[in-house]
Amino acid sequence: MQVLSRENMVEAWKRVKANQGSAGVDGLTIEQTVEYLKTQWPRIRQEILDGVYRPQAVRRVEIPKPTGGVRELGIPTVTDRLIQQALLQVLQPRIDPTFSEFSYGFRPGRSAHDAVRQAQRYAQDGYQVVVDVDLEKFFDRVNHDILMDRLAKRIDDKAVLRLIRRYLEAGVMLNGVVVARDDGTPQGGPLSPLLANVLLDDVDRVLTRRGHRFARYADDLCATSAKGRGGLNVCNCLIDEGGPLGTGWQEQVLNHLRRLRPKALVVSTEGKSLGRTRSCDWQEEDRKGTTDDMSKA
């Protein structure tokens, strides 16, 4: 397995060590993990190769948001951060080139500033209506089955897919108790941003196919239009296509979308509000309500 090659693991450890970070549920720091792996790494490596390795639960941490509320992070153990980083180094060069040129979040050589500059170019070209789409608690609601389906189309190695699935299903430590996790990919591990981009790539493909101009940074999406009606079309195209996590009206996708509850704020570049969609149940009455709101703009 290329992931476990000595060269890849050495580079992964350099990245993990440079990023520092706190201990996971095992309480081991970077320095303590060095000593731990001196004796335990041969066993862990063989367990990964045999397909029986079980990642430890992540430690939940709450970070206050500037706008209020908290952002929940899941901190893996240093050992699991090492393995995730090794996976990332092998998978990202293969998967990242398949993403949209208008996706900017957590990608090599791209930044939030690039996304802002792209949005500014749209405005300069006359696209004066901005649709700010928010996928509420996206990372907490990622459907594991849909994500694994998308990964299987990009990754041939079943052992790698099995290991990723184990990381998705690793529990969360809350008040000393490990709680099982059936969905979500907690922010905090090296692999999480890449997995999110794999799933959100469906959003980019839908918007591109419909000819919309957009810039996306992780789960923050800004689409532009020359008219208010075009802003409505951006919202509706995601509904018509089955939304950001699949194409077509498959039941599992619909169930997932109902839980994501996408919302959108439509404004002009001068700051004038042109309407706001409600937290959407993806039902016809909600679409009608959105149409009524937008038609008044």
Side-chain angles (χ1 to χ4, degrees):
M1 183 186 290
Q2 182 184 356
V3 170
L4 297 177
S5 69
R6 178 175 176 79
E7 295 78 9
N8 191 52
M9 294 305 302
V10 168
E11 181 61 27
W13 178 253
K14 290 179 181 178
R15 297 286 183 89
V16 170
K17 186 177 180 180
N19 291 336
Q20 290 299 309
S22 57
V25 297
D26 61 358
L28 297 181
T29 63
I30 296 283
E31 294 74 18
Q32 292 169 327
T33 300
V34 172
E35 298 303 316
Y36 171 77
L37 291 178
K38 285 180 180 179
T39 58
Q40 298 301 315
W41 177 246
R43 173 187 60 80
I44 294 172
R45 185 179 188 278
Q46 191 59 49
E47 287 181 357
I48 295 174
L49 291 173
D50 293 341
V52 297
Y53 178 72
R54 295 282 180 179
Q56 294 191 62
V58 297
R59 180 171 61 85
R60 175 162 292 181
V61 176
E62 294 184 345
I63 306 297
K65 294 182 179 180
T67 55
V70 296
R71 173 176 288 106
E72 294 181 353
L73 302 181
I75 309 301
T77 65
V78 177
T79 297
D80 283 321
R81 296 208 295 271
L82 171 64
I83 298 170
Q84 285 194 34
Q85 180 64 39
L87 282 166
L88 178 67
Q89 290 170 184
V90 171
L91 297 179
Q92 191 164 53
R94 300 178 185 177
I95 296 176
D96 189 84
T98 69
F99 293 151
S100 168
E101 63 178 303
F102 303 112
S103 168
Y104 297 92
F106 308 113
R107 298 183 61 190
R110 290 168 174 259
S111 69
H113 294 292
D114 295 324
V116 171
R117 281 190 286 268
Q118 181 61 58
Q120 290 173 335
R121 283 192 288 270
Y122 289 143
Q124 292 166 0
D125 290 341
Y127 295 90
Q128 300 292 311
V129 176
V130 179
V131 184
D132 183 12
V133 181
D134 174 33
L135 294 177
E136 185 178 357
K137 294 186 177 180
F138 169 77
F139 287 91
D140 297 334
R141 295 189 171 107
V142 167
N143 182 292
H144 293 170
D145 291 334
I146 297 176
L147 174 56
M148 292 307 302
D149 174 74
R150 300 302 187 269
L151 287 170
K153 294 175 180 177
R154 291 173 163 92
I155 303 171
D156 295 328
D157 193 326
K158 295 187 183 303
V160 169
L161 290 171
R162 181 170 54 242
L163 183 56
I164 293 174
R165 183 95 195 199
R166 295 272 172 81
Y167 274 111
L168 290 174
E169 295 175 345
V172 179
M173 180 73 77
L174 292 173
N175 301 318
V177 178
V178 175
V179 179
R181 190 174 68 220
D182 297 322
D183 50 19
T185 170
Q187 301 177 73
L191 201 54
S192 179
L194 178 64
L195 298 182
N197 273 332
V198 167
L199 203 52
L200 287 168
D201 186 55
D202 280 5
V203 174
D204 303 339
R205 292 177 184 273
V206 168
L207 293 172
T208 299
R209 185 163 59 247
R210 293 294 188 93
H212 294 298
R213 292 160 177 80
F214 68 95
R216 181 176 63 77
Y217 190 92
D219 57 339
D220 292 319
L221 170 67
C222 165
T224 62
S225 173
K227 300 178 181 179
R229 176 62 56 181
L232 173 62
N233 290 338
V234 170
C235 302
N236 281 348
C237 91
L238 295 179
I239 301 174
D240 293 338
E241 291 281 348
L245 306 183
T247 56
W249 288 96
Q250 301 116 337
E251 186 60 30
Q252 67 175 162
V253 173
L254 286 175
N255 288 337
H256 198 174
L257 286 170
R258 292 184 186 110
R259 299 176 62 219
L260 284 174
R261 293 182 290 168
K263 295 176 292 185
L265 172 64
V266 184
V267 298
S268 69
T269 52
E270 291 80 18
K272 177 184 177 183
S273 175
L274 300 181
R276 181 189 295 271
T277 67
R278 289 177 288 176
S279 184
C280 185
D281 286 333
W282 300 93
Q283 296 175 4
E284 192 62 33
E285 55 266 30
D286 284 327
R287 294 183 62 184
K288 182 179 184 300
T290 300
T291 303
D292 292 342
D293 290 340
M294 292 294 297
S295 65
K296 298 176 183 176

